[in-house]
């Protein structure tokens, strides 16, 4: 059987007691980035060497990226910008860019910029060109004031852009919490028994309280040391905070599914294990059964080598999209 998600992106390798969670506002010894400084027991001397496992929440543990785009951004893009084009092609284009390209996990406005450019290659439209120019100005502006868009006249490129935002947000309001990948849940709930000395930190793009609620509703509230929401900055900032606050000497492994998580791991020289889109359960199974045990032994180099779709996704030239 073909191994899934088996590439250690930084090393060039291939692979295939419960802590109670407390909110960042109440945790003791809180430091920059919402992390708790590493501690040792002065009476017993330094404890065992810690291993830091930093996990991306959206798309890796919860199927939220797919749910968000399928329910909101795909229909909004097709509904607002497919005039004069094939709506099915427009929908498939957004799905590919948002979920199966290096733009996976990027903010929707960045995905919209790429989608409009590619759609206009096959179906040229003066209207879409005008919206694209407006979008580029909006992305380059400080503050991204949507009030300025609302002040524009009906039918203008600014209002079309605002209509797309509003439609997507309205559809998003109908969305509840995303389901958790079962193999991710199985690994996380059994981690404290199978591997002592592993500290789990979680990064989410949701507000911290909302992210904590999502994990607790999935019965994962006691499976991590700390969760950081959007208030704590992006993934790279959170990872750098870990290095500054007690974990600089710890082996670090990042588990993620987006380009931002992969790039964050690269920026600090840590290992990265990808959760491959559309193969999340298989990715977690291989991680739990083969890669993570080998990582703990320092033997990931022994695992088999085969093709990796995640890395292909990260280096693909978006301008080559059909």
């Amino acid at each position: 059987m073909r191994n899934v998600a088996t590439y250690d992106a930084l090393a060039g390798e291939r692979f295939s007691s419960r802590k109670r969670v407390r909110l960042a506002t109440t945790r003791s010894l809180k430091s920059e980035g919402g992390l708790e400084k590493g501690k040792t027991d002065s009476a017993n001397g330094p404890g065992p060497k810690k291993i830091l496992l930093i996990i991306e929440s959206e798309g890796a543990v919860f199927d939220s990226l797919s749910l968000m785009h399928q329910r909101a951004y795909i229909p909004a893009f097709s509904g607002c910008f497919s005039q004069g084009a094939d709506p099915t092609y427009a929908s498939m284009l957004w799905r590919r860019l948002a979920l199966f390209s290096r733009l996976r996990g990027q903010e929707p406005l960045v995905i919209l910029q790429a989608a409009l450019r590619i759609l206009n290659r096959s179906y040229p439209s003066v209207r879409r060109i005008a919206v694209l120019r407006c979008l580029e100005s909006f992305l380059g502006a400080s503050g991204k004031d949507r009030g300025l868009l609302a002040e524009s006249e009906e039918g203008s490129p600014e209002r079309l852009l605002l209509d797309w935002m509003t439609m997507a947000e309205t559809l998003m309001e109908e969305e509840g919490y995303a389901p958790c990948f079962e193999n991710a849940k199985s690994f996380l709930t059994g981690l404290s028994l199978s591997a002592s000395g592993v500290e789990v930190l979680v990064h989410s793009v949701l507000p911290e309280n909302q992210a904590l609620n999502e994990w607790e509703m999935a019965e994962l509230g006691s499976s991590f040391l700390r969760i950081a929401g959007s208030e704590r900055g992006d993934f790279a900032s959170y990872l750098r905070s870990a290095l500054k606050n007690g974990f600089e000497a710890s082996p670090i492994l990042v588990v993620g599914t987006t380009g931002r998580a992969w790039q964050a791991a690269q920026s600090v020289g840590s290992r990265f294990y990808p959760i491959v889109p559309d193969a999340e359960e298989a990715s977690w199974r291989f991680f739990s059964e083969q890669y993570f045990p080998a990582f703990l032994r320092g033997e990931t180099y022994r695992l088999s080598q085969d093709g990796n779709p995640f890395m292909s996704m990260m280096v693909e030239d978006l301008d080559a999209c059909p």
Side-chain angles (χ1 to χ4, degrees), residues 2-285:
R2 181 176 64 86
N3 289 332
V4 179
T6 59
Y7 184 82
D8 185 324
L10 299 178
E13 300 168 357
R14 311 265 179 166
F15 49 78
S16 92
S17 74
R18 294 162 58 94
K19 298 181 179 66
R20 293 195 61 82
V21 177
R22 289 172 283 180
L23 287 172
T25 53
T26 60
R27 184 179 284 280
S28 61
L29 297 177
K30 187 179 68 175
S31 59
E32 178 188 356
L35 298 174
E36 183 173 297
K37 287 186 177 288
K39 303 184 292 297
T40 58
D41 186 336
S42 58
N44 299 320
K49 188 174 184 179
K50 295 293 184 183
I51 293 174
L52 186 61
L53 185 61
I54 302 185
I55 300 177
E56 190 172 32
S57 182
E58 287 74 36
V61 176
F62 295 93
D63 195 18
S64 42
L65 287 182
S66 177
L67 194 65
M68 174 180 71
H69 288 288
Q70 295 286 1
R71 291 187 179 179
Y73 288 103
I74 289 177
F77 179 69
S78 179
C80 292
F81 299 118
S82 65
Q83 292 83 358
D86 180 356
T88 301
Y89 171 76
S91 297
M92 292 176 62
L93 173 62
W94 185 280
R95 183 174 185 271
R96 179 177 179 184
L97 292 174
L99 299 177
F100 301 99
S101 82
R102 57 184 170 84
L103 295 181
R104 178 177 172 87
Q106 288 283 353
E107 65 170 308
L109 286 172
V110 174
I111 299 171
L112 177 63
Q113 185 178 39
L116 286 173
R117 285 174 176 167
I118 295 172
L119 183 61
N120 238 33
R121 284 209 312 255
S122 300
Y123 301 94
S125 164
V126 173
R127 184 183 190 217
R128 281 192 292 272
I129 290 174
V131 173
L132 185 56
R133 289 173 179 165
C134 172
L135 174 59
E136 290 170 347
S137 298
F138 185 75
L139 286 171
S142 59
K144 299 178 184 176
D145 186 4
R146 291 173 54 168
L148 297 177
L149 300 179
E151 293 173 0
S152 301
E153 62 183 29
E154 193 71 30
S156 67
E158 291 81 4
R159 287 299 293 270
L160 290 174
L161 180 58
L162 182 61
D163 288 346
W164 171 80
M165 294 179 183
T166 303
M167 181 177 179
E169 289 167 355
T170 300
L171 293 170
M172 284 280 290
E173 291 174 358
E174 303 172 5
E175 180 184 329
Y177 286 121
C180 174
F181 295 115
E182 287 301 319
N183 286 337
K185 183 175 182 178
S186 177
F187 169 78
L188 290 165
T189 54
L191 184 60
S192 61
L193 298 176
S194 62
S196 61
V198 177
E199 302 280 20
V200 177
L201 305 181
V202 176
H203 184 269
S204 172
V205 297
L206 298 175
E208 200 159 282
N209 285 340
Q210 187 176 342
L212 180 60
N213 288 339
E214 182 173 50
W215 279 69
E216 289 184 337
M217 289 180 67
E219 299 179 341
L220 290 171
S222 297
S223 63
F224 55 88
L225 174 68
R226 178 165 297 282
I227 192 166
S230 55
E231 305 94 322
R232 308 285 176 181
D234 60 17
F235 200 104
S237 299
Y238 189 54
L239 193 50
R240 287 192 295 269
S241 294
L243 295 178
K244 293 178 181 177
N245 292 282
F247 292 104
E248 64 278 354
S250 303
I252 297 178
L253 174 61
V254 175
V255 177
T257 187
T258 67
R260 64 170 177 256
W262 174 59
Q263 290 167 354
Q266 282 189 314
S267 71
V268 300
S270 70
R271 297 288 182 88
F272 177 80
Y273 180 89
I275 302 302
V276 177
D278 258 7
E280 292 90 352
E281 295 291 4
S283 296
W284 276 107
R285 184 182 306 113

